[in-house]
Amino acid sequence: MPDLYPFRVGTNMAGPVLLEHGTIAQRDRWVRNMASGAEIWCQMFSEPDAGSDLANVSTTAVRDGDGWRLNGQKVWTSRGEYADWGICLTRTNPDVPKHNGLTMFALDMRSPGVLVRPLVQMNGDSHFSEVFLDDAFVPDEQRIGETHGGWTITLAVLAHERAGADRSAPTVGGTTVPLWLSRMIGTPALADPVLRDRTMRLYAFDETIRLTQLRTLANQRAGRKPGPEGSGMKLNGARSFKARAALQATAGGAHALLSDWDGHVDLLTAPSMSIRGGTDEIQLNILAERILGLPSEQRTDRSVPWAVARRGIA
Ligand SMILES: Cc1cc2nc3c(=O)[nH]c(=O)nc-3n(C[C@H](O)[C@H](O)[C@H](O)COP(=O)(O)OP(=O)(O)OC[C@H]3O[C@@H](n4cnc5c(N)ncnc54)[C@H](O)[C@@H]3O)c2cc1C
């Protein structure tokens, strides 16, 4: 199975959203190249002051002739170093409440004024970057959705990201046995009753994720858009990845402390699963408020112009 990671923002997030919200010209221009892998996309949402509170982005886009000038800083931009295009969330009106003044663009990552600086992670990779935008020009035809309608596009991208089909562990051949379990079968670890119990619990959990994924895919094939239920998928996917990494480390014994151990990268990657794509706490908030209908948490900046609310916290 080839590694499809580089292509996922295009195929799983920006592509489906262009099909839902893009113009015909935009779909013609980008979607085919996303599907063929000819062009790689990255997601430019997070900023130093806008992660969980994503609607707080402060990268500006200001009208300039037949396009826009972008200024600001993005961070944690996975694939940023080698991406051709970025789906980039900007602020186009600071004088309205934060969700109402945002606009989404497709940014050519090789435009003048785009500087990408890779960041090194604790697992040794540097797959994400910080990106500085200094008067980068974007033609208006690269605006995705309505001017000031960027929050709608953001929610659509995030829903696709969280419902994404890559959450459960890969299986072996045509079976439902996950790769991690196939690696443990026949090892001394499974002779230990406590580890065997943990393994089987995790297998059962993983299987529920796989089946939920199949349901999500069936819904998408039937033309239904993913909604807040993707947060459950995101949460369980992170829990499964972390439990798997911890189980394998326990089974690996002292050797698992060494960097030449097979599961080393997974072990050091595991904590990030609860952060990327929105943290566990944010997924729990979404599930509580939008699925269970529980009272929402206090939000004092919803009806205040962004520029005013921002001065309040500065
Ligand atoms: C490996 C990796 C890859 C990433 N790739 C990308 C990418 O390609 N593109 C991109 O745009 N971003 C990317 N991100 C960024 C990621 O989306 C953010 O890190 C994430 O949304 C959290 O934002 P933050 O880091 O600013 O933390 P903060 O928002 O500052 O959160 C700090 C802590 O406070 C908690 N918290 C915050 N608000 C609440 C609340 N209302 N209720 C309860 N708890 C709360 C959080 O759960 C967290 O524990 C990536 C991150 C990682 C780790």
Side-chain angles (χ1 to χ4, degrees), residues 35-186:
S36 70
E39 288 178 335
I40 290 178
W41 284 62
C42 64
Q43 178 195 31
M44 299 171 68
F45 285 8
S46 302
E47 297 182 2
D49 281 334
S52 301
D53 186 11
L54 191 52
N56 193 41
V57 298
S58 55
T59 291
T60 55
V62 174
R63 203 65 220 223
D64 181 12
D66 58 358
W68 302 77
R69 291 274 167 201
L70 272 52
N71 282 284
Q73 183 193 349
K74 296 290 174 181
V75 74
W76 320 128
T77 311
S78 305
R79 311 164 182 84
E81 201 184 353
Y82 53 82
D84 302 289
W85 293 93
I87 182 162
C88 183
L89 183 63
T90 66
R91 182 156 308 279
T92 39
N93 186 354
D95 299 319
V96 291
K98 61 182 179 180
H99 296 93
N100 304 341
L102 299 166
T103 303
M104 192 73 81
F105 293 97
L107 172 69
D108 179 344
M109 296 298 284
R110 310 229 154 73
S111 311
V114 179
L115 174 69
V116 180
R117 284 214 317 227
L119 298 164
V120 180
Q121 295 152 251
M122 76 173 180
N123 65 4
D125 278 358
S126 55
H127 90 256
F128 55 32
S129 301
E130 50 186 354
V131 182
F132 296 89
L133 303 176
D134 181 11
D135 260 349
F137 183 76
V138 179
D140 190 52
E141 60 261 29
Q142 289 173 206
R143 172 172 43 80
I144 302 174
E146 302 293 326
T147 302
H148 311 316
W151 191 244
T152 304
I153 309 296
T154 305
L155 291 183
V157 173
L158 292 177
H160 281 286
E161 176 172 18
R162 290 166 187 166
D166 54 320
R167 292 293 172 203
S168 71
T171 51
V172 184
T175 74
T176 59
V177 177
L179 195 57
W180 65 266
L181 180 55
S182 76
R183 285 188 184 137
M184 290 181 79
I185 292 171

Side-chain angles (χ1 to χ4, degrees), residues 249-286:
T250 310
H255 187 61
L257 295 173
L258 303 178
S259 58
D260 67 355
W261 172 62
D262 265 358
H264 179 73
V265 171
D266 274 2
L267 189 63
L268 292 185
T269 301
S272 76
M273 292 298 171
S274 287
I275 303 173
R276 59 176 80 188
T279 66
D280 286 0
E281 290 76 19
I282 294 303
Q283 307 317 313
L284 288 169
N285 278 351
I286 293 171

